[in-house]
């Protein structure tokens, strides 16, 4: 009888301990793991909840780092730099992910009237926003490199994973696609690791998984492009999971009282005359958001929103340089505006 009581006590003790363990584990997994790194020329922050959250976040950053190494055109040893160095000479064998990035960019350039062009490298190199002080090139200097900007000339061989730029001096700049593509891959890894609640903020481009741990939707603000600490709009990311922004307020120079941002019109070589300060695209599970936001920034509200209607499932918030905020119909009643409201 005494032995039975001892066994019963041990069983009860195990039950209490394991119950306490699972309660502790549940409480512990509700705490976030957050990490911030500077990659792809921006600050990337990942916040994740649930078991294995630290391992998952570190694996996601490993993927960001891998793709950054492939696409960094400021690194002479990156695969993008090798493509640029071999322009007019020979094909370059590259990673399949880089092939897919370039292929998708070329396809989207066709659909967006060339408002985005990954061969804009000679222009971005000429301008050197953030690297050449307040230098502004002359029209003659711009005209000299414009013939090198033509995405239709890019030769892609998916079977052999090669890329070729046929003209010497051509250069790829994947700034409008690499970050979105890398974020897609990072989200895939987080999900593979079992993460069901997370937020990724890559320099203002936001992706979420599920809801917040309390079941409420993630609520995101759109920065006021003329106030570093201000917000022009707020919304809950439901039923969407992606919000990506392009604007003239993060990388720019001021020259003789004029703002020159890093976003260039591939057709003119100059900053767009669209009157747009920022474009935010809202959609689901799409690495194309940066392509859309950049294209709409170049095209402006009339042409840009007309083009966006050809891509169902994508909504936009456009903030104009005069402070007006234009919201597409699909966001009506779902966006809290803190600035001026424009026609939809």
């Amino acid at each position: 009888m005494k032995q039975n009581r001892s066994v019963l006590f041990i069983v009860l003790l195990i039950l209490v301990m394991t119950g306490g363990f699972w309660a502790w584990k549940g409480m512990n997994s509700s705490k976030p793991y957050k990490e911030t790194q500077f990659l792809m020329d921006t600050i990337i922050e990942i916040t994740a909840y649930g078991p294995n959250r630290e391992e998952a976040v570190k694996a996601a950053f490993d993927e960001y780092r891998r793709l950054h190494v492939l696409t960094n055109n400021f690194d002479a040893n990156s695969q993008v730099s090798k493509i640029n160095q071999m322009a007019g000479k020979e094909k370059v064998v590259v990673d399949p992910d880089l092939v897919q990035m370039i292929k998708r960019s070329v396809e989207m350039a066709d659909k967006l009237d060339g408002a985005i062009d990954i061969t804009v490298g000679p222009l971005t190199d000429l301008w050197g926003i953030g690297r050449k002080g307040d230098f502004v090139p002359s029209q003659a200097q711009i005209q000299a490199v414009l013939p090198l900007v033509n995405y239709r000339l890019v030769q892609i061989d998916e079977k052999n994973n090669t890329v070729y730029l046929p003209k010497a001096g051509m250069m790829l700049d994947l700034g409008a696609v690499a970050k979105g593509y890398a974020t897609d891959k990072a989200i895939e890894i987080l999900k593979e690791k079992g993460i069901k609640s997370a937020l990724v903020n890559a320099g203002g481009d936001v992706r979420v998984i599920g809801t917040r741990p309390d079941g409420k939707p993630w609520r995101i603000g759109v920065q006021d492009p003329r106030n570093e600490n201000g917000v022009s709009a707020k919304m809950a990311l439901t039923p969407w999971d992606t919000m990506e922004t392009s604007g003239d307020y993060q990388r720019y120079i001021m020259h003789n009282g004029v703002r020159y941002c890093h976003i260039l019109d591939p057709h003119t070589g100059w900053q767009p005359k669209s009157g747009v300060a920022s474009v935010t695209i809202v959609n689901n599970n799409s690495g194309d958001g940066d392509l859309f936001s950049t294209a709409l920034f170049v095209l402006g509200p009339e042409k840009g929103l007309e083009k966006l209607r050809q891509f169902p499932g994508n909504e936009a918030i456009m903030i104009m340089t005069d402070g007006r905020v234009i919201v597409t119909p699909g966001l009506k009643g779902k966006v809290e505006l803190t600035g001026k409201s424009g026609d939809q």
Side-chain angles (χ1 to χ4, degrees):
M1 185 70 177
K2 186 176 180 180
Q3 184 178 5
N4 289 341
R5 287 177 179 174
S6 298
V7 171
L8 179 60
F9 172 76
I10 293 170
V11 170
L12 288 172
L13 180 62
I14 293 172
L15 288 173
V16 169
M17 290 179 66
T18 54
F21 168 75
W22 286 112
W24 172 84
K25 185 176 181 181
M27 290 174 61
N28 192 50
S29 64
S30 68
K31 295 180 180 179
Y33 176 78
K34 182 185 294 186
E35 189 169 328
T36 302
Q37 295 191 25
F38 188 84
L39 291 166
M40 309 195 99
D41 204 28
T42 194
I43 296 172
I44 300 173
E45 181 179 85
I46 302 178
T47 304
Y49 295 82
N52 304 318
R53 57 198 179 281
E54 181 174 352
E55 175 191 346
V57 168
K58 291 189 178 301
F61 270 119
D62 286 344
E63 185 66 358
Y64 267 116
R65 196 172 298 105
R66 183 183 74 85
L67 292 170
H68 171 69
V69 168
L70 294 178
T71 60
N72 183 9
N73 58 349
F74 296 114
D75 178 1
N77 295 314
S78 75
Q79 291 190 0
V80 164
S81 291
K82 295 298 182 184
I83 294 170
N84 295 341
Q85 292 161 12
M86 291 296 105
K89 298 176 183 178
E90 61 183 45
K91 300 177 181 179
V92 179
V93 178
V94 297
D95 188 281
D97 277 314
L98 190 52
V99 171
Q100 292 307 309
M101 242 183 276
I102 294 170
K103 179 188 174 188
R104 183 58 177 165
S105 300
V106 170
E107 291 172 347
M108 290 301 292
D110 256 340
K111 295 176 181 179
L112 295 168
D113 298 339
I116 51 155
D117 191 327
I118 57 170
T119 65
V120 76
L123 285 169
T124 56
D125 185 61
L126 172 64
W127 277 90
I129 299 291
R131 296 181 291 110
K132 295 184 178 181
D134 65 349
F135 168 76
V136 174
S138 67
Q139 182 62 42
Q141 289 173 309
I142 289 174
Q143 287 298 132
V145 299
L146 271 179
L148 298 173
V149 180
N150 188 347
Y151 68 88
R152 294 183 180 88
L153 298 180
V154 179
Q155 298 177 18
I156 305 166
D157 183 342
E158 285 187 84
K159 182 179 179 181
N160 295 302
N161 290 318
T162 65
V163 179
Y164 179 56
L165 303 178
K167 285 186 177 183
M170 287 186 75
M171 296 173 63
L172 297 180
D173 183 334
L174 300 182
V177 64
K179 190 170 57 171
Y181 186 93
T183 299
D184 269 359
K185 292 289 186 177
I187 288 289
E188 286 178 14
I189 287 173
L190 291 171
K191 288 180 176 178
E192 287 170 1
K193 297 287 186 181
I195 299 300
K196 300 189 183 328
S197 176
L199 184 147
V200 178
N201 184 350
D205 292 349
V206 176
R207 287 285 301 276
V208 301
I209 297 175
T211 62
R212 292 167 45 182
D214 60 7
K216 295 180 180 179
W218 298 97
R219 190 165 173 80
I220 310 297
V222 178
Q223 183 175 331
D224 181 340
R226 295 297 179 265
N227 181 357
E228 184 178 356
N229 299 313
V231 173
S232 291
K234 301 175 185 177
M235 65 173 291
L237 269 187
T238 179
W240 306 280
D241 64 11
T242 302
M243 177 185 280
E244 302 197 8
T245 301
S246 295
D248 68 359
Y249 55 91
Q250 288 187 322
R251 292 173 55 197
Y252 68 94
I253 59 170
M254 297 297 294
H255 182 80
N256 293 333
V258 178
R259 179 185 298 257
Y260 296 90
C261 74
H262 72 290
I263 301 174
L264 303 173
D265 183 336
H267 300 111
T268 68
W270 292 90
Q271 285 71 18
K273 304 291 186 182
S274 59
V276 177
S278 75
V279 178
T280 297
I281 297 294
V282 180
N283 57 24
N284 266 315
N285 192 33
S286 173
D288 292 337
D290 269 345
L291 296 174
F292 283 123
S293 60
T294 302
L296 265 65
F297 189 97
V298 172
L299 293 172
E302 187 175 340
K303 291 181 180 178
L305 295 178
E306 179 183 353
K307 181 62 66 174
L308 191 66
R309 283 193 284 272
Q310 300 175 19
F311 300 90
N314 290 279
E315 302 295 339
I317 302 169
M318 301 185 81
I319 303 175
M320 310 304 290
T321 53
D322 63 7
R324 286 183 301 124
V325 181
I326 301 173
V327 178
T328 53
L331 294 177
K332 187 175 181 180
K334 299 178 180 179
V335 176
E336 177 188 342
L337 300 180
T338 59
K340 301 177 185 176
S341 177
D343 295 332
Q344 298 180 14

